[in-house]
Every structure is written in C-alpha cells, then in structure tokens.
Amino acid sequence: MRQVWVQQYWHDAGQLRWRETKISRARRSRNDTPRRAKGPEVADDEPARVPWSSSEIVTPHDTDARFSHKAGKIAWIGYKDHQTETCDDDAVNVIVHVLTTPAPEQDVEAVSPIHAALAAGQIMPAEHLLDSGYVTPYIIHQAATEHGITIVGPVRLDPRAADRPRFAKEDFHINWEDQTVTCPKGVTSPPWKPTVTDRKAGISVLFRRGDCRACDVRLQCTGNIDDKGRHLLLLPRPQQEIQTRVRAQQQTPEWQRRYDLRAGAESTVSETTRAHGLRHCRYRGLAKTHVQHVLIAAGTNICRLAAHDPAHPHHRPPSHLKRLCKTLTTTI
C-alpha cells in the first residue's frame, strides 16, 4: 500500500500533491538516442510524474497487474495472453502453447519466447502466421536465421505515407556497395550515416537541400515546404530487403489468400473469451494467472477433440442453440 501511495503522490514544498501523467514524447526507448535535429528537452524522470505503466502498481490487490490500452479500442488492467495453435487442414486445431505477459508489454516482444518454447518442446512450425502487432522485419529475420521459421504476417506500412503521396521509400534505388540512394528523378544522395532508432541500428540518408529544392516534384516527395532535403531511414540490409519484399507481397491476392488462414486464431480468441472467461482473472499474480490461461487452453482442446469427427474433419458440431431448437422440435 505504501508503494502505491508513493507512486501516486509526492511532496511539493511540504504540500501533498497528485503526480502528473507521463509525457508521451519521453519514451524509454528514446533515452540516450542521438537525434538528427535537436528539439526541446523532455525530462522523463521528473519526480512529479507517475512511473511508467510497466512498473506502476495499479491496485494493491494484485501487484503484478498493469494498465494498458489499445488506442480507440479497449483499456484494461491485468495481463496479456498469447495463444499458439495448429492450423492443419487434416486435423483438429489445438492450442499448443500459452504465454502470459504483463499488459503493457508489446506483442512483438513475445515472439522470441514463444519460438524458444516451441523449439524446447520440439513442435517448431514451418510457417507461423502472426498478427501485424507481432511482425517486424527484425522478427522475420530472427525467426528465419535462428529457428528456420517462415513468418507470414503484414509488415506495418509507412506511417507518414499520407504526407508523401507520390514517392515512398520503396521507389528509391539503394546502392548497398556505395552506401548511397538514388531517387526516382535520378538524383543520388551523399553517402549515408549510421544512426540508432528505438535502440536498434539503422541508416540515415539525407539528400542535399539544393538538389531537392530544384526538383519539380519536391512537395509530392517530401511532404513539407521548409526547404529541407528528403530524409530516409533505412534498416540494416537484411531487414530492409525483408521489409521491401513483404510490403510488396502483402498487397497481392495470393498473399492475402494465404494469410486468410489466420482467421481461425481470431475465432479461438472469441471462443476462449466468451465461452471460458479468459478475460476474467480468477487468481492474483502473473504466475497463477498463467495457470488459469493454461487450464482454459487445455479445456478448449478437450472440447474440440471431443467434438471432432475423423470421418468429417471439416464438419462443425451443432451449436447449443441448434441442439436446443432440435430438442424442442422433437418434444413438441
């Protein structure tokens, strides 16, 4: 209880005050990160502000529970449950792994532990279909090199594409040997410089201001009017090639039909949530909540195996409402 009070209140000149919320620009991932253009300093360790959601105790009744939210969707206090299930055409789909994490932890951070657990259990898949929140070029490269897994999932598109309606990063030609980039109008940049973005190595490419100022499509390319040259942020070569390739593939009908198979994962989330109460913790603490998630997954598997008909593997068992209607019709 004392720790909760310390995280919520502080003494200001002898007067007790509420702590203020965190500044969104002062992310932990940006600490000690060099920037191309220095802006106003943002202090993320001010004593008047609440702790980060990963360490803030939201309720004294469960000191492991944390607050999290998805913008425009839902906010909750608790944990996250990551389920991995099979999706073979000729067998019943069962949940083979469950991972419970604190609520604020990003989905992408769960991929490596999941693959490590699948490898330890000798149930590594050839392909792993993932939601977009789990997929980055780094994750795709890591899964392929360390475990031989092909990840199928959408890579996030350029978040500033609307500011540059004509030319995207994929329209530029990258010369990895000379460490230069050529724009669609044929202008070559000076040699690029290494940089760090969100604690990961990257490449900063800055075109000359004079070259971009004289370009007749400058506004469509840069999306600004402040006379700056086009600035590109590239990933290291393996990840950048993966990003370019997947962004092109995920727009094709063939890739989308292949990815449609992951729709079964959403139905599993609905089943475990609505039928088995996945989102209502019956215990306190991360360890006991994980036990609940495992038991729910085991119960779901038992229900699926009991309803599975080997003679008709694609036949769905009748719902409770359908069985009730059939019983009432027979009785009447």
Side-chain angles (χ1 to χ4, degrees), residues 58-321:
V58 184
T59 169
H61 302 289
D62 187 348
T63 57
D64 291 340
R66 296 291 183 266
F67 171 82
S68 184
H69 77 285
K70 292 185 177 181
K73 293 184 179 180
I74 188 176
W76 76 100
I77 296 174
Y79 309 90
K80 280 185 180 179
D81 176 42
H82 307 270
Q83 302 171 345
T84 305
E85 66 173 335
T86 61
C87 54
D88 298 323
D89 293 333
D90 55 349
V92 59
N93 297 339
V94 295
I95 302 173
V96 296
H97 181 262
V98 174
L99 176 66
T100 305
T101 62
E105 186 172 306
Q106 298 296 316
D107 293 342
V108 69
E109 299 177 8
V111 179
S112 294
I114 291 174
H115 286 170
L118 296 179
Q122 299 183 353
I123 50 176
M124 294 291 290
E127 289 185 347
H128 198 174
L129 279 69
L130 296 174
D131 183 67
S132 59
Y134 297 87
V135 182
T136 67
Y138 292 95
I139 290 296
I140 296 176
H141 181 259
Q142 182 181 21
T145 55
E146 295 184 4
H147 302 288
I149 298 176
T150 300
I151 288 184
V152 180
V155 172
R156 190 180 69 156
L157 300 178
D158 185 358
R160 297 185 59 190
D163 298 333
R164 299 183 289 267
R166 184 159 183 172
F167 297 130
K169 183 168 60 174
E170 291 74 21
D171 298 321
F172 289 71
H173 174 71
I174 304 173
N175 189 326
W176 296 102
E177 289 70 24
D178 296 340
Q179 298 186 353
T180 59
V181 175
T182 303
C183 78
K185 300 293 288 185
V187 177
T188 301
S189 71
W192 61 52
K193 297 180 180 180
T195 186
V196 177
T197 58
D198 288 342
R199 296 186 178 181
K200 291 184 173 63
I203 299 171
S204 175
V205 183
L206 181 61
F207 282 81
R208 296 181 182 90
R209 180 178 301 182
D211 293 338
C212 292
R213 184 183 301 166
C215 182
D216 56 351
V217 293
R218 177 176 61 86
L219 296 182
Q220 290 85 349
C221 180
T222 63
N224 63 51
I225 56 175
D226 54 5
D227 264 354
K228 291 183 179 180
R230 178 65 187 266
H231 182 221
L232 296 178
L233 284 175
L234 303 179
L235 306 176
R237 184 170 184 174
Q239 290 81 5
Q240 183 59 55
E241 291 177 345
I242 289 173
Q243 184 186 70
T244 302
R245 184 183 71 252
V246 175
R247 280 181 174 178
Q249 290 177 346
Q250 65 192 32
Q251 306 299 325
T252 63
E254 294 77 10
W255 187 94
Q256 294 174 6
R257 285 194 295 268
R258 182 185 182 190
Y259 188 66
D260 284 345
L261 187 61
R262 197 200 158 271
E266 299 299 334
S267 64
T268 298
V269 173
S270 178
E271 178 183 358
T272 54
T273 299
R274 300 175 184 275
H276 307 299
L278 179 67
R279 291 178 179 167
H280 296 278
C281 290
R282 299 177 177 87
Y283 307 98
R284 298 176 182 177
L286 179 64
K288 291 183 179 180
T289 301
H290 176 64
V291 173
Q292 175 187 338
H293 292 168
V294 172
L295 293 176
I296 289 176
T300 302
N301 289 341
I302 292 174
C303 294
R304 291 182 176 183
L305 292 171
H308 179 64
D309 184 2
H312 303 87
H314 300 290
H315 176 69
R316 294 183 61 183
S319 64
H320 294 292
L321 179 60

Side-chain angles (χ1 to χ4, degrees), residues 9-17 19:
Y9 299 93
W10 75 301
H11 280 280
D12 180 15
Q15 186 176 2
L16 190 64
R17 300 183 184 275
R19 293 184 185 270

